[in-house]
Amino acid sequence: MEKFGVAHLAQIAMRSEPRHSAEMCSQLLFGDPYQVIEETEKWLKIKTFECNYEGWIDIQLFNSIHPEDIEVYLAIEKYFVTDYLLFIREFESNVTFPIYMGSSFPYPSEGMLILGNAVFMIDLPEPQNLPEHPSLSPNQIKLLRFASGYLRSPYLWGGRTPLGIDCSGLVQLAYKAIGQSLPRDASQQVLQGENVDFFEQAQIGDVAFFDNEEGKINHTGIICGQGKILHSSGFVRIDKLDQTGIFNTETEKYTHKLRIIKHFMIH
């Protein structure tokens, strides 16, 4: 029988190989569903439903969801966390812990949320009205507001939380905030979307990709204004962007070479 799970902790490290010393290639966030595709005594190889990304998780962190329930879970409307932290209480242990922005889970019923074998109590914050801007669409405003919540978060390879996030994880989660699914890695993201032919045509919310000396895509970020980019490099920051690439005003040097700009946003 096929096995499925759903993340019931704030984050779960996905490893490139079945050992704790292996590279962390990504993270599951609270509420993320996945399929088990391989199993050892201590590890599970999983594939996420969000973008078919594969990695290994510690078998002790497995929280199963019945195969008959997985289709319902995938289809049901979900709450998307836009606050930096949201506190949730596990029913059985009565332990309260934080979950991070970017997490998503089914709307609780009378304050109760069931995720696979785990039950939680949670009070959702009151919805906030988005500010209006005459030259920006609601999706542009929502994306920028969410992405800017990660400013000053340290860079972490494979990270997807405000405690540490990588460049492609930031782009992926920012687009998830407006209901659009992108692949996990920059090298996969660049294969989608529409090319922006001229630098001057780039819009807020467009995604810039950068390559290394071998021509491989190794960095990405979100255009957040004319000649400005929001990206994770050292930490999540806003730097200058021109046709050459990203210019760091502190070091007065170019740090990344621009390869292409892509338009993903559905207005």
Side-chain angles (χ1 to χ4, degrees), residues 240-255:
K240 288 185 176 181
L241 176 70
D242 60 25
Q243 292 176 329
T244 299
I246 297 176
F247 185 78
N248 186 316
T249 55
E250 297 168 5
T251 62
E252 296 188 342
K253 293 180 180 179
Y254 283 97
T255 58

Side-chain angles (χ1 to χ4, degrees), residues 220-235:
T220 186
I222 300 167
I223 292 176
C224 61
Q226 188 170 11
K228 293 182 179 180
I229 185 166
L230 190 154
H231 66 128
S232 181
S233 179
F235 55 90

Side-chain angles (χ1 to χ4, degrees), residues 185-203:
D185 293 337
S187 60
Q188 301 167 325
Q189 294 169 357
V190 74
L191 301 177
Q192 299 193 358
E194 303 173 8
N195 291 358
V196 176
D197 295 326
F198 299 100
F199 181 81
E200 294 76 16
Q201 294 177 341
Q203 304 173 29

